[in-house]
Amino acid sequence: MLKDRRVKFNKEKIKAVLKETVETIVFVVVMVIIIRFFVGEIRWIPSASMHPTLIEGDRIFVERFSRFYAEPKRGDIMVFYPPFEDIKTDPVSIFSRLTGFFCKDIAYIKRVIGMPGDKFEVKMASDGYYHVFINDKQLSEPYILSDEDYIPCSEDMYCGPMKIPAGQYFMMGDNRGNSQDSRFWGLLPKERMIGRAVFLFWPLNRVNYFSRPLY
Protein backbone atom coordinates (compact mmCIF):
# COMPACT_ATOMS: atom_id res chain seq x y z
CA MET A 1 0.00 0.00 0.00
CA LEU A 2 2.79 2.39 0.97
CA LYS A 3 4.67 1.41 -2.18
CA ASP A 4 1.65 2.25 -4.34
CA ARG A 5 1.37 5.66 -2.69
CA ARG A 6 5.04 6.36 -3.37
CA VAL A 7 4.66 5.35 -7.03
CA LYS A 8 1.58 7.58 -7.38
CA PHE A 9 3.39 10.46 -5.66
CA ASN A 10 6.42 10.09 -7.93
CA LYS A 11 4.21 10.05 -11.05
CA GLU A 12 2.40 13.18 -9.95
CA LYS A 13 5.71 14.87 -9.16
CA ILE A 14 7.07 14.01 -12.61
CA LYS A 15 3.87 15.32 -14.25
CA ALA A 16 4.14 18.56 -12.27
CA VAL A 17 7.80 19.01 -13.26
CA LEU A 18 7.03 18.29 -16.91
CA LYS A 19 4.08 20.69 -16.88
CA GLU A 20 6.21 23.44 -15.33
CA THR A 21 9.00 22.81 -17.85
CA VAL A 22 6.63 22.96 -20.83
CA GLU A 23 4.97 26.13 -19.50
CA THR A 24 8.38 27.75 -19.01
CA ILE A 25 9.50 26.85 -22.54
CA VAL A 26 6.25 28.14 -24.05
CA PHE A 27 6.55 31.38 -22.04
CA VAL A 28 10.15 31.92 -23.15
CA VAL A 29 9.30 31.27 -26.83
CA VAL A 30 6.31 33.62 -26.70
CA MET A 31 8.40 36.36 -25.06
CA VAL A 32 11.17 35.92 -27.65
CA ILE A 33 8.62 36.29 -30.46
CA ILE A 34 7.06 39.38 -28.86
CA ILE A 35 10.43 41.03 -28.27
CA ARG A 36 11.79 40.24 -31.75
CA PHE A 37 8.61 41.28 -33.56
CA PHE A 38 7.67 44.39 -31.58
CA VAL A 39 10.91 45.62 -29.93
CA GLY A 40 14.09 44.54 -31.69
CA GLU A 41 16.82 41.98 -32.19
CA ILE A 42 20.59 41.57 -32.23
CA ARG A 43 22.47 41.16 -35.50
CA TRP A 44 26.12 40.76 -36.47
CA ILE A 45 27.86 42.25 -39.49
CA PRO A 46 29.22 39.63 -41.94
CA SER A 47 30.65 41.79 -44.75
CA ALA A 48 32.61 44.94 -45.59
CA SER A 49 29.81 46.71 -47.50
CA MET A 50 29.17 49.24 -44.70
CA HIS A 51 32.78 50.29 -44.01
CA PRO A 52 33.72 52.47 -42.21
CA THR A 53 30.44 52.73 -40.26
CA LEU A 54 30.21 48.99 -39.61
CA ILE A 55 32.90 46.36 -39.99
CA GLU A 56 32.93 42.59 -39.99
CA GLY A 57 32.12 41.14 -36.58
CA ASP A 58 30.31 44.19 -35.21
CA ARG A 59 27.25 43.42 -33.09
CA ILE A 60 24.32 45.80 -33.42
CA PHE A 61 20.85 46.22 -31.95
CA VAL A 62 18.12 46.58 -34.57
CA GLU A 63 14.90 48.21 -33.36
CA ARG A 64 11.60 47.19 -34.92
CA PHE A 65 9.01 49.29 -33.09
CA SER A 66 9.32 52.53 -35.11
CA ARG A 67 8.00 50.80 -38.24
CA PHE A 68 4.54 50.85 -36.66
CA TYR A 69 4.37 54.64 -36.57
CA ALA A 70 7.17 56.16 -38.71
CA GLU A 71 8.57 55.94 -42.22
CA PRO A 72 12.27 55.23 -42.88
CA LYS A 73 14.34 58.41 -43.30
CA ARG A 74 17.17 59.15 -45.66
CA GLY A 75 20.39 58.11 -43.95
CA ASP A 76 18.80 55.41 -41.76
CA ILE A 77 20.78 52.17 -41.59
CA MET A 78 18.26 49.41 -42.24
CA VAL A 79 18.28 45.61 -42.08
CA PHE A 80 16.07 44.05 -44.76
CA TYR A 81 15.36 41.07 -46.96
CA PRO A 82 16.63 41.84 -50.50
CA PRO A 83 13.92 41.69 -53.19
CA PHE A 84 15.47 38.65 -54.89
CA GLU A 85 15.45 36.60 -51.66
CA ASP A 86 12.59 34.08 -51.48
CA ILE A 87 10.90 34.37 -48.08
CA LYS A 88 9.36 31.01 -47.27
CA THR A 89 5.94 30.96 -45.60
CA ASP A 90 5.76 27.39 -44.33
CA PRO A 91 5.17 27.00 -40.55
CA VAL A 92 8.75 25.96 -39.79
CA SER A 93 10.24 28.94 -41.68
CA ILE A 94 7.82 31.38 -40.04
CA PHE A 95 8.63 30.01 -36.59
CA SER A 96 12.38 30.24 -37.29
CA ARG A 97 11.97 33.83 -38.52
CA LEU A 98 9.92 34.90 -35.50
CA THR A 99 12.19 33.29 -32.91
CA GLY A 100 15.56 33.48 -34.65
CA PHE A 101 16.10 29.77 -33.99
CA PHE A 102 17.91 28.14 -36.97
CA CYS A 103 16.74 30.96 -39.25
CA LYS A 104 18.37 30.71 -42.69
CA ASP A 105 16.81 33.81 -44.26
CA ILE A 106 19.39 36.08 -45.91
CA ALA A 107 19.23 39.68 -44.69
CA TYR A 108 21.21 42.71 -45.88
CA ILE A 109 22.17 45.90 -44.09
CA LYS A 110 22.44 49.14 -46.10
CA ARG A 111 21.65 52.83 -45.79
CA VAL A 112 18.48 54.51 -47.10
CA ILE A 113 19.63 56.90 -49.83
CA GLY A 114 16.68 57.33 -52.22
CA MET A 115 13.20 58.07 -50.85
CA PRO A 116 9.72 57.81 -52.40
CA GLY A 117 9.11 60.80 -54.67
CA ASP A 118 12.83 61.52 -55.22
CA LYS A 119 14.40 62.07 -58.59
CA PHE A 120 17.43 59.84 -58.04
CA GLU A 121 20.67 59.54 -59.98
CA VAL A 122 24.24 58.31 -59.48
CA LYS A 123 26.57 60.12 -61.87
CA MET A 124 30.01 61.62 -62.23
CA ALA A 125 30.26 65.14 -60.83
CA SER A 126 32.56 68.02 -61.75
CA ASP A 127 35.27 66.67 -59.42
CA GLY A 128 35.62 63.57 -61.57
CA TYR A 129 34.08 61.21 -58.98
CA TYR A 130 30.68 59.51 -58.81
CA HIS A 131 28.13 61.01 -56.43
CA VAL A 132 24.46 60.65 -55.57
CA PHE A 133 22.13 63.35 -56.82
CA ILE A 134 18.68 63.87 -55.30
CA ASN A 135 16.36 66.13 -57.29
CA ASP A 136 19.40 67.28 -59.30
CA LYS A 137 21.35 68.31 -56.18
CA GLN A 138 24.46 66.47 -54.99
CA LEU A 139 23.81 64.65 -51.71
CA SER A 140 26.26 65.31 -48.87
CA GLU A 141 27.47 61.92 -47.62
CA PRO A 142 30.16 62.26 -44.92
CA TYR A 143 29.64 58.63 -43.86
CA ILE A 144 30.95 56.91 -47.03
CA LEU A 145 34.34 55.23 -47.09
CA SER A 146 35.77 57.20 -50.02
CA ASP A 147 34.63 59.41 -52.91
CA GLU A 148 37.35 57.84 -55.03
CA ASP A 149 36.35 54.20 -54.41
CA TYR A 150 33.11 53.93 -56.40
CA ILE A 151 31.89 51.22 -58.79
CA PRO A 152 31.41 52.97 -62.17
CA CYS A 153 27.83 52.90 -63.45
CA SER A 154 27.04 50.76 -66.48
CA GLU A 155 23.96 50.09 -68.62
CA ASP A 156 22.95 47.04 -66.60
CA MET A 157 23.02 48.97 -63.29
CA TYR A 158 20.27 51.02 -61.66
CA CYS A 159 21.96 54.42 -61.58
CA GLY A 160 19.08 56.49 -62.92
CA PRO A 161 17.93 59.08 -63.46
CA MET A 162 14.71 57.63 -62.04
CA LYS A 163 11.65 58.73 -60.12
CA ILE A 164 11.29 56.56 -57.02
CA PRO A 165 7.66 55.42 -56.60
CA ALA A 166 5.68 55.31 -53.36
CA GLY A 167 6.67 52.54 -50.95
CA GLN A 168 10.08 52.00 -52.61
CA TYR A 169 13.59 52.88 -51.42
CA PHE A 170 17.07 53.02 -52.93
CA MET A 171 19.55 51.33 -50.58
CA MET A 172 23.34 51.73 -50.71
CA GLY A 173 26.30 50.56 -48.66
CA ASP A 174 28.74 53.10 -47.23
CA ASN A 175 31.58 51.23 -48.95
CA ARG A 176 30.58 52.29 -52.46
CA GLY A 177 33.37 50.29 -54.06
CA ASN A 178 32.32 47.00 -52.43
CA SER A 179 28.56 46.84 -51.92
CA GLN A 180 25.92 44.77 -53.68
CA ASP A 181 23.06 47.24 -53.27
CA SER A 182 20.20 48.86 -55.19
CA ARG A 183 22.58 49.77 -58.00
CA PHE A 184 22.61 46.05 -58.87
CA TRP A 185 19.17 44.71 -57.85
CA GLY A 186 16.90 47.75 -57.94
CA LEU A 187 14.50 49.36 -55.50
CA LEU A 188 13.50 47.89 -52.15
CA PRO A 189 9.81 47.64 -51.16
CA LYS A 190 9.12 48.94 -47.65
CA GLU A 191 7.51 45.66 -46.58
CA ARG A 192 10.89 43.95 -46.98
CA MET A 193 12.44 46.03 -44.21
CA ILE A 194 13.13 44.30 -40.89
CA GLY A 195 14.28 47.18 -38.69
CA ARG A 196 16.66 50.09 -38.12
CA ALA A 197 20.17 49.72 -36.70
CA VAL A 198 20.36 52.00 -33.68
CA PHE A 199 23.22 50.83 -31.49
CA LEU A 200 26.61 49.18 -31.99
CA PHE A 201 27.42 47.47 -28.69
CA TRP A 202 30.31 45.12 -29.56
CA PRO A 203 33.28 45.32 -29.63
CA LEU A 204 33.44 47.76 -26.75
CA ASN A 205 36.01 50.00 -28.40
CA ARG A 206 33.52 50.67 -31.22
CA VAL A 207 30.37 51.32 -29.18
CA ASN A 208 28.24 53.81 -31.09
CA TYR A 209 24.67 55.12 -31.25
CA PHE A 210 23.31 55.80 -34.73
CA SER A 211 21.20 58.94 -34.39
CA ARG A 212 18.61 59.64 -37.05
CA PRO A 213 19.75 62.08 -39.77
CA LEU A 214 18.45 65.66 -39.80
CA TYR A 215 17.86 65.88 -43.54
Side-chain angles (χ1 to χ4, degrees):
M1 190 70 174
L2 181 59
K3 183 179 179 180
D4 292 339
R5 289 180 179 177
R6 287 179 177 174
V7 170
K8 183 178 180 180
F9 174 78
N10 288 335
K11 287 182 178 180
E12 290 178 351
K13 186 176 181 180
I14 292 173
K15 287 181 180 179
V17 171
L18 288 174
K19 180 183 178 182
E20 183 178 352
T21 301
V22 171
E23 289 177 347
T24 301
I25 293 174
V26 171
F27 174 79
V28 170
V29 170
V30 170
M31 289 304 299
V32 167
I33 291 174
I34 291 174
I35 292 172
R36 282 177 59 89
F37 187 80
F38 291 102
V39 182
E41 60 186 78
I42 292 173
R43 295 262 177 172
W44 69 281
I45 305 302
S47 73
S49 69
M50 285 297 291
H51 279 207
T53 308
L54 296 168
I55 64 176
E56 299 91 328
D58 282 353
R59 264 60 171 179
I60 58 173
F61 177 74
V62 179
E63 64 89 359
R64 304 192 67 177
F65 51 84
S66 65
R67 62 197 172 104
F68 296 107
Y69 62 84
E71 298 293 319
K73 295 179 64 176
R74 193 186 328 275
D76 281 348
I77 301 173
M78 304 295 296
V79 176
F80 58 90
Y81 299 121
F84 54 82
E85 175 70 9
D86 181 28
I87 304 300
K88 297 180 180 179
T89 57
D90 60 277
V92 174
S93 296
I94 293 175
F95 178 80
S96 296
R97 194 173 305 124
L98 289 174
T99 61
F101 300 149
F102 308 107
C103 183
K104 297 181 179 180
D105 293 335
I106 295 176
Y108 280 16
I109 181 165
K110 310 289 180 187
R111 193 182 293 271
V112 176
I113 301 299
M115 301 279 292
D118 284 345
K119 178 186 176 183
F120 178 91
E121 187 174 10
V122 177
K123 65 180 181 180
M124 190 174 291
S126 58
D127 61 3
Y129 300 126
Y130 280 92
H131 295 280
V132 172
F133 286 78
I134 302 294
N135 301 323
D136 298 319
K137 293 182 179 180
Q138 184 176 321
L139 182 66
S140 174
E141 299 188 279
Y143 42 76
I144 67 172
L145 180 62
S146 171
D147 288 332
E148 302 178 16
D149 189 18
Y150 229 105
I151 300 173
C153 289
S154 61
E155 291 184 359
D156 58 347
M157 292 171 64
Y158 298 89
C159 289
M162 68 178 76
K163 184 80 170 182
I164 300 180
Q168 303 282 326
Y169 296 83
F170 201 98
M171 314 297 294
M172 299 181 75
D174 292 354
N175 185 356
R176 299 292 162 80
N178 183 21
S179 176
Q180 290 292 317
D181 49 38
S182 285
R183 291 171 293 174
F184 298 93
W185 40 257
L187 299 174
L188 178 74
K190 180 187 174 184
E191 58 269 19
R192 284 262 168 169
M193 292 187 177
I194 298 172
R196 180 173 65 93
V198 294
F199 188 62
L200 192 165
F201 65 89
W202 189 266
L204 295 178
N205 64 335
R206 286 179 46 77
V207 169
N208 189 22
Y209 173 74
F210 304 118
S211 58
R212 304 202 76 175
L214 296 177
Y215 51 58

